[in-house]
Amino acid sequence: TDDRQAMVIEEHRRKGRELEDGELEEERPPPREDDDEADIHQQIAWGKQIARERTPEAILRLFAGEGRRFDARNLSMTAHRVGKFGRRDVRLHLEQLASMCERRIEKFDPQGIANTAWGFAKMDFVDRRLFEAIAVQARRRSGQLNPRDMANTAWAFATLAVAAPEL
């Protein structure tokens, strides 16, 4: 399986290229709801690639190509990693990412919920449906959120001025 993961990672590297002006803004089809998550080995390979990438464009390129098959962990990791770069000029991808996260939020672990909220707040990007879903899940899992997860989630809601009285 390590050889398979290495091949997948190398294939994605070979496909990687520099973005041309305006490429991030081009229309891409919305994620399809009937797409299945990839197997665990592929998820691990994508997780390693997301962690290794050094630009938000590279992470979002991977998301644009494969994001509809990401599991909950890779979706939250994508939001968190892109948020670390603090980029706000990738709106189309953020809309797609928010939609995928909102649809799968019930599968996110407590840290994934917090990291997703934090990542979108760092990018100053509000998707009401996503944040409503995050609030519901944070409330349901309040006993599972550690203090850091709770603080990061609260910070995200406050930063974006999203009301969530139930939190």
Side-chain angles (χ1 to χ4, degrees):
T1 59
D2 287 340
D3 291 337
R4 172 81 176 121
Q5 289 175 358
M7 283 179 28
V8 169
I9 291 168
E10 185 57 37
E11 181 180 327
H12 281 283
R13 273 202 191 125
R14 276 196 315 261
K15 290 180 181 178
R17 59 180 168 64
E18 293 297 315
L19 291 176
E20 297 175 19
D21 289 341
E23 186 173 351
L24 286 177
E25 287 77 33
E26 73 181 79
E27 284 291 317
R28 297 195 197 290
R32 298 184 323 240
E33 296 206 30
D34 61 342
D35 289 319
D36 293 323
E37 292 177 4
D39 68 37
I40 187 66
H41 301 293
Q42 182 63 64
Q43 298 297 339
I44 291 168
W46 285 330
K48 288 178 180 180
Q49 185 175 357
I50 293 165
R52 186 177 46 251
E53 294 297 355
R54 299 292 176 231
T55 67
E57 292 85 2
I59 295 167
L60 291 171
R61 236 188 339 262
L62 176 62
F63 173 75
E66 304 293 348
R68 70 186 184 283
R69 298 181 62 217
F70 280 9
D71 64 8
R73 183 171 186 272
N74 283 335
L75 286 171
S76 66
M77 197 164 145
T78 298
H80 185 261
R81 291 278 296 144
V82 174
K84 281 186 137 183
F85 292 103
R87 295 286 297 273
R88 297 181 176 125
D89 59 345
V90 288
R91 186 163 188 83
L92 175 63
H93 292 288
L94 297 181
E95 290 171 358
Q96 292 174 345
L97 180 58
S99 176
M100 292 291 299
C101 289
E102 186 261 328
R103 285 199 314 265
R104 295 189 182 164
I105 196 72
E106 291 181 3
K107 296 180 180 182
F108 285 32
D109 65 15
Q111 182 180 4
I113 292 167
N115 285 350
T116 300
W118 182 90
F120 279 97
K122 285 292 286 184
M123 294 177 281
D124 195 30
F125 186 88
V126 179
D127 181 287
R128 296 286 177 198
R129 290 177 45 188
L130 172 60
F131 275 83
E132 287 170 10
I134 289 171
V136 167
Q137 289 303 311
R139 187 180 68 244
R140 283 184 186 159
R141 299 183 185 183
S142 61
Q144 299 172 359
L145 292 170
N146 66 34
R148 178 187 290 180
D149 294 339
M150 187 58 81
N152 286 344
T153 303
W155 176 86
F157 277 80
T159 297
L160 295 173
V162 175
E166 65 275 7
L167 293 180

